[in-house]
Amino acid sequence: MKYSKYSTVIIGSGIAGLYAALKIEQQVKLPDGILLITKSRLGESNSRYAQGGMVAVMKDNKSDSVASHISDTIKAGAGLSEFNTIKFISENSDAVVKDLLKFGVEFDRDENGSLCYTREAAHSVRRILHSGGDATGKKIEQALCRKVSENENIEIYEQTDAVELLVSSGECKGVIVFNNETGDYETVYSSAIILATGGIGQLYKYTTNPVGATGDGIALAYNAGAVMQDMEFVQFHPTALAIDGDENRFLISEAVRGEGAKLCDADGVEFMSKYDERKELAPRDIVTRANFNEMQENNTDCVYLNAACIESKKLAKRFPTISKKCLEHGIDISKDYIPVAPASHYFMGGVRTNLKGETSVNGLYAIGEAASTGLHGGNRLASNSLLECVVCAYSAAEYLKSIELKTPKQIDEEIKSIIDKYSNEDIVMDELDVQSLKSKLQNIMWDYVGILRDEKSLNEANELIYRLKADFPREAKCLNREEYEFRNMLTVSQLITQCALNRKESRGAHFRTDYPNTNEQSIHSFIVKEEMELVK
Ligand code: FAD
Ligand code: SIN
C-alpha cells in the first residue's frame, strides 16, 4: 500500500472543505503541505445545490442586527441552539462575506450596486444574500473551486473516499483512502484531519440531497470514538418538487415562499393558517408537518405551491433555475401550481465540535454539515448552514495557526492493525446487490424514522436495520464505493434511530407522536461508540 504524509488533510470539497483549504493555505505555514480529498469531482457536493442563499448580518444592513439573528435562530431551533455559538457565527458573518468577495464570490446586487437580501421562513428581516438568483451554492462553489485548483500548495485527490480514520491512544494520526477508479488504497498520515464530508440526506427515500450525501464522515468519526451530538434531528424540507417516481427531489426554495408564494391543495385552497399564524413563513419543521398532514388527510402524494401571485418578471429573474427545472416537467411557475412534498434535507446532528472545529478525538476536526456545533438546535433556520460552513472553516484555520502541526508519530500496533485490514489482498468478496439493500434502508428510514416517529416505529426500524446488516457481510474492507457508502449509511441510520428512541419528547424536527410535548429541560443528546454496541 502507498503511504504519504501531509500537515493537514481536508476530507470533502463542499463549501466548508474548499474554504478551509484556502484559509489554511493562506494563514498557516505547513511543512508537509495540504491534501484535499473528495470522493467525486471537485465541485460535487450538497453545497452546489444550495439555492435560497446565505445568511449574513452585514454591518451596513441597518434593518438587521446580531441580536435579531440570534433571536430568530433560537426560536427556530426549538430551544436547543447554543447562544454563544450563534453569537460567534453571526458576529463573524460580515468579515467572512467580505473575505469571500476577495476570493471572487459574487452575490447579487441591485441597480445601485448594493447587496440584495431576501427573506426565508422564520427570519424576521431580509438578511439572506444570494447569487445567480437561486444558484447561490453553485456560484460560491465555482469561485472557491477555481481558487483551490489554481493553488499549487493544495494537492487534490478526486474520486477518492476516506474509508477509515487511523486512531490510536485517542489521537487521530491519519486516514485510509480508497481510489474508486483504480481500486488502490493509500495510508495518509497527518496531524490534523478535517472532516468536511457533509450530510446524510440519502439515508431517506425522498431527499433533496445528491447521491454522495451518505453520512461517511459521521460514521468514520463515530467509529474512531468521537462524541456524536443530537443525532435524532433530521430536517425535512417542506417543498421538494414531487414528480412521480423521482426520489432524489429537486428543491423548490423557501425563498419562493419568502417572496410571497402560498401553499394550497389541488383546488387552490390555502391551508397554512390552520397550522401557524406565520403561515408559509413558519419554521421549516412546522411547515413540513403541515404539508405531511394535508397529504395524509387527503390521501395525496403532494400539496401545491402557488407562485403565480409573484410578479412574473421578478419570478423569472429571482428563480431562473427553479423556473427552468419546472418547465422541463411542463410546469410554468408563473401560471401553474407546483406539486411539492417534504423530503429529507439537512442534518442538525453530527460530530460534536467546538467553534475551532475540534472533536473529542485529538487531531480530528469537523466542519460544515458533518459537524454539530449547536448552532441549529432542533431545527435549522434557513440559510444558516452555508454561513456556518464558512465561519467554522475560517475559525478552524485560525486555530490551526495557533498550534504546532507536528509530524505524525510512529506507527504503533493499533494503527498497523487498521492498515493490515486494507492491505490484505486475500479476502474474497462476492458481489452484493447494494442498490437493493440501499433502497430497503431508505424505505425503512422514511417509513419508521421520518417526519413522525413513535416507539413502535423506531423499534421496528432497529430490528429491520439489524436484519439488513446481516445481509451485508463486510467486516474488514469493502469492494467498492457503493459498499463503503452503504456501510456508513447503516451505521448512521442505527445512531439516528437509537437517539430518536432515547429522546422521549417532541422538539423541532424530532416529532414523537407518543410524546407530542416538549420537555421543559432542554438538553443535547450525545452518543459514543463505547456506550453503544451497534451490532447485536
Ligand atoms: P457538502 O457540500 O455536502 O460537501 C461534502 C463533500 O464531502 C463533498 O465534496 C463529498 O463528495 C465529500 N465526501 C463525502 N464523503 C466523503 C468521503 N468518504 N471521502 C471523501 N470525500 C467525501 N443551506 C443554506 O445555508 N442555504 C441554502 O440556500 C441551502 N440550500 C440547499 C439546497 C439543497 C438542494 C440542499 C441539498 C442543501 C441546501 N442547503 C442550504 C444546505 C447546505 O447546502 C449544506 O448544508 C452545505 O452546503 C454543506 O456543506 P459542506 O461543505 O459541509 O458539505
Ligand atoms: C431553500 O432554499 O429553501 C433551502 C435553504 C436552506 O436549506 O437553508
Side-chain angles (χ1 to χ4, degrees):
M1 193 197 291
K2 198 179 152 196
Y3 294 85
S4 54
K5 187 173 80 174
Y6 291 87
S7 294
T8 302
V9 175
I10 297 155
I11 305 169
S13 63
I15 284 173
L18 291 167
Y19 191 53
L22 290 167
K23 293 313 292 178
I24 293 168
E25 197 280 332
Q26 202 178 51
Q27 300 185 47
V28 190
K29 197 171 159 294
L30 295 167
D32 294 317
I34 302 175
L35 174 64
L36 179 67
I37 295 169
T38 189
K39 71 177 174 179
S40 185
R41 292 284 166 221
L42 195 60
E44 185 51 28
S45 60
N46 271 13
S47 298
R48 164 173 286 198
Y49 302 94
Q51 294 180 354
M54 186 173 101
V55 163
V57 183
M58 301 302 285
K59 293 197 170 122
D60 53 10
N61 181 3
K62 297 298 171 217
S63 61
D64 200 9
S65 65
V66 167
S68 160
H69 179 219
I70 293 175
S71 162
D72 289 348
T73 304
I74 286 179
K75 276 188 212 145
L80 214 54
S81 297
E82 289 175 29
F83 180 88
N84 287 337
T85 304
I86 316 171
K87 184 165 178 283
F88 177 82
I89 289 175
S90 188
E91 281 176 348
N92 279 291
S93 60
D94 183 277
V96 169
V97 166
K98 287 175 180 153
D99 194 53
L100 285 175
L101 296 174
K102 285 191 213 146
F103 278 110
V105 174
E106 286 176 7
F107 292 103
D108 293 338
R109 292 174 185 269
D110 64 18
E111 50 286 357
N112 304 318
S114 305
L115 290 168
C116 294
Y117 300 98
T118 190
R119 201 176 160 195
E120 289 180 277
H123 285 276
S124 54
V125 299
R126 287 185 168 259
R127 63 162 69 93
I128 297 160
L129 299 176
H130 44 88
S131 184
D134 55 2
T136 309
K138 189 170 165 191
K139 292 285 183 185
I140 300 176
E141 192 166 51
Q142 280 174 343
L144 298 182
C145 275
R146 240 186 332 267
K147 292 289 178 197
V148 165
S149 305
E150 286 163 11
N151 195 315
E152 286 175 357
N153 296 327
I154 303 172
E155 182 143 359
I156 302 166
Y157 285 5
E158 289 181 301
Q159 297 297 347
T160 304
D161 298 39
V163 296
E164 188 162 342
L165 295 166
L166 298 174
V167 175
S168 76
S169 315
E171 189 177 340
C172 185
K173 296 173 180 167
V175 58
I176 304 278
V177 303
F178 168 73
N179 184 310
N180 194 49
E181 282 179 344
T182 62
D184 293 334
Y185 288 88
E186 180 171 332
T187 301
V188 182
Y189 293 107
S190 178
S191 44
I193 300 277
I194 303 180
L195 296 169
T197 45
I200 58 115
Q202 285 288 327
L203 264 49
Y204 287 86
K205 177 174 179 180
Y206 297 111
T207 180
T208 63
N209 291 191
V211 289
T214 48
D216 297 4
I218 295 167
L220 262 58
Y222 170 77
N223 285 324
V227 174
M228 305 287 122
Q229 177 169 278
D230 295 341
M231 295 293 286
E232 60 277 34
F233 290 102
V234 178
Q235 182 167 72
F236 295 87
H237 197 290
T239 58
L241 184 62
I243 302 289
D244 288 349
D246 252 357
E247 293 180 355
N248 284 354
R249 290 186 157 167
F250 177 79
L251 183 75
I252 306 295
S253 174
E254 208 157 74
V256 183
R257 276 176 282 133
E259 298 296 347
K262 301 288 177 208
L263 286 160
C264 61
D265 65 17
D267 298 322
V269 178
E270 293 174 16
F271 55 77
M272 269 315 297
S273 57
K274 277 195 290 183
Y275 297 93
D276 194 286
E277 60 185 14
R278 291 161 290 184
K279 299 189 213 168
E280 277 75 9
L281 294 185
R284 199 169 274 180
D285 58 323
I286 295 174
V287 184
T288 291
R289 283 193 294 275
N291 286 357
F292 193 65
N293 189 53
E294 291 291 315
M295 286 161 55
Q296 285 197 320
E297 275 187 0
N298 302 323
N299 200 16
T300 53
D301 293 334
C302 65
V303 292
Y304 294 88
L305 189 67
N306 178 7
C309 45
I310 305 170
E311 205 248 312
S312 61
K313 262 200 199 137
K314 181 174 184 185
L315 203 51
K317 180 156 185 260
R318 271 292 281 115
F319 304 110
T321 317
I322 295 174
S323 304
K324 184 166 172 272
K325 184 74 181 183
C326 287
L327 215 49
E328 284 167 18
H329 291 283
I331 303 160
D332 176 348
I333 67 168
S334 69
K335 297 194 198 95
D336 304 324
Y337 292 167
I338 311 167
V340 291
S344 83
H345 181 64
Y346 182 82
F347 195 41
M348 277 77 73
V351 191
R352 177 175 163 80
T353 66
N354 60 20
L355 289 167
K356 301 170 201 158
E358 287 178 296
T359 70
S360 58
V361 175
N362 287 337
L364 181 65
Y365 301 80
I367 52 174
E369 191 168 340
S372 182
T373 61
L375 171 69
H376 309 298
N379 176 51
R380 178 175 63 100
L381 183 66
S383 290
N384 259 351
S385 172
L386 293 181
L387 177 63
E388 184 189 42
C389 285
V390 285
V391 172
C392 291
Y394 185 94
S395 65
E398 282 289 311
Y399 177 63
L400 291 183
K401 192 164 68 172
S402 71
I403 59 169
E404 192 193 348
L405 292 171
K406 289 182 232 123
T407 311
K409 301 207 179 73
Q410 297 262 301
I411 309 173
D412 55 27
E413 277 310 307
E414 247 181 297
I415 299 236
K416 190 173 171 305
S417 71
I418 301 173
I419 296 171
D420 285 349
K421 284 195 297 186
Y422 295 92
S423 315
N424 185 349
E425 311 239 315
D426 299 334
I427 303 171
V428 181
M429 289 181 278
D430 295 332
E431 291 265 352
L432 296 169
D433 184 356
V434 184
Q435 193 47 49
S436 148
L437 294 172
K438 191 171 154 182
S439 293
K440 283 184 190 161
L441 181 63
Q442 289 166 328
N443 279 310
I444 296 167
M445 291 301 284
W446 182 261
D447 291 339
Y448 301 115
V449 198
I451 295 165
L452 307 179
R453 305 107 187 240
D454 63 19
E455 184 158 332
K456 186 162 171 282
S457 75
L458 294 166
N459 279 328
E460 181 88 16
N462 252 342
E463 186 59 35
L464 291 169
I465 299 170
Y466 164 63
R467 277 196 237 147
L468 264 190
K469 228 172 163 166
D471 290 339
F472 185 68
R474 295 291 188 245
E475 297 290 328
K477 65 178 182 180
C478 295
L479 206 51
N480 51 35
R481 165 174 305 150
E482 284 66 38
E483 290 194 3
Y484 280 116
E485 288 183 338
F486 184 65
R487 185 165 87 173
N488 295 327
M489 289 169 72
L490 281 169
T491 301
V492 180
S493 296
Q494 284 189 298
L495 290 170
I496 294 174
T497 308
Q498 188 55 53
C499 292
L501 262 170
N502 295 350
R503 187 176 285 275
K504 295 187 171 28
E505 63 161 346
S506 291
R507 181 186 292 280
H510 169 71
F511 197 91
R512 291 271 307 245
T513 51
D514 48 350
Y515 294 97
N517 298 323
T518 303
N519 290 343
E520 263 177 41
Q521 202 190 7
S522 158
I523 43 170
H524 290 296
S525 68
F526 304 113
I527 194 161
V528 269
K529 197 164 186 192
E530 290 77 46
E531 285 172 9
M532 180 179 153
E533 194 44 71
L534 286 177
V535 185
K536 278 194 196 172

